Amino acid sequence: MRVIVGADHAGFRLKEKIKEHLKRKGFEVVDEGTDSEKSCDYPDFAVKVAEKVAKSPKSIGIVVCGTGIGTAMAANKVKGIRAALATNEYMARMAREHNNANVLSLGARVSKEKEALEMVDSFLGTDFSLEERHRRRVKKIDAIHGKTLK
Ligand code: RB5
């Protein structure tokens, strides 16, 4: 499985740890930056990851910023992306099992490295549930894209 990773300056160090962890486990990792702790804007990197994931539906994205909030918000603007912010292993697992999330968003100032790697492992190790109700709900999420507010 190909994993596309990206982060802003706040998430850079954790993104590097995630990359090492995934490479050790044999995943193909594509790094969309940033490449230092120099201040930058999280939407730029979240969108690069999201666009790559949207174009290659079998891939998974992992984005990291300080809280994980901004990268999730930005990634979710890209059609076909279901980005989930997780702060614990249960959320990361449920994001795949119930929501079929294709991007995991983590907060480097919120989660410790060990917790983050556990979330990464759970996210990548969990499949979307076969239960009809979960599939129906995710279809409804995907159908929202493009609708205008009345
Ligand atoms: C950067 O200071 C911080 O705002 C950013 O990493 C992120 O937490 C935004 O959601």
Side-chain angles (χ1 to χ4, degrees):
M1 185 195 283
R2 180 192 284 182
V3 185
I4 326 280
V5 299
D8 71 354
H9 55 287
F12 169 71
R13 274 169 185 267
L14 181 56
K15 188 251 295 166
E16 294 302 299
K17 296 285 178 191
I18 291 170
K19 238 166 71 180
E20 280 168 30
H21 179 74
L22 292 176
K23 283 184 179 169
R24 255 199 317 272
K25 292 196 153 209
F27 287 96
E28 180 193 347
V29 183
V30 178
D31 187 351
E32 290 296 322
T34 186
D35 55 11
S36 76
E37 289 183 285
K38 185 169 173 284
S39 181
C40 61
D41 299 336
Y42 57 82
D44 299 341
F45 301 94
V47 164
K48 280 187 187 176
V49 171
E51 284 178 339
K52 281 230 158 118
V53 173
K55 278 188 194 140
S56 133
K58 282 192 180 148
S59 63
I60 286 284
I62 299 178
V63 289
V64 191
C65 65
T67 57
I69 296 171
T71 38
M73 285 179 161
N76 274 320
K77 293 288 181 186
V78 176
K79 192 171 183 191
I81 293 304
R82 291 173 303 277
L85 167 62
T87 56
N88 59 50
E89 187 276 330
Y90 178 74
M91 288 175 76
R93 185 156 36 90
M94 287 301 111
R96 291 283 307 137
E97 195 175 314
H98 286 191
N99 312 113
N100 199 19
N102 50 13
V103 174
L104 172 66
S105 188
L106 297 172
R109 295 174 180 160
V110 178
S111 301
K112 294 188 168 61
E113 180 187 323
K114 185 171 174 284
E115 295 165 339
L117 297 182
E118 273 168 15
M119 289 190 263
V120 165
D121 287 345
S122 271
F123 194 79
L124 296 175
T126 305
D127 290 326
F128 186 28
S129 167
L130 292 173
E131 302 218 30
E132 193 277 330
R133 67 182 189 283
H134 296 306
R135 295 193 169 239
R136 182 182 71 234
R137 290 163 189 163
V138 169
K139 272 191 191 148
K140 287 188 178 184
I141 294 177
D142 289 342
I144 294 166
H145 216 105
K147 281 190 184 165
T148 51
L149 292 177
K150 294 202 173 88

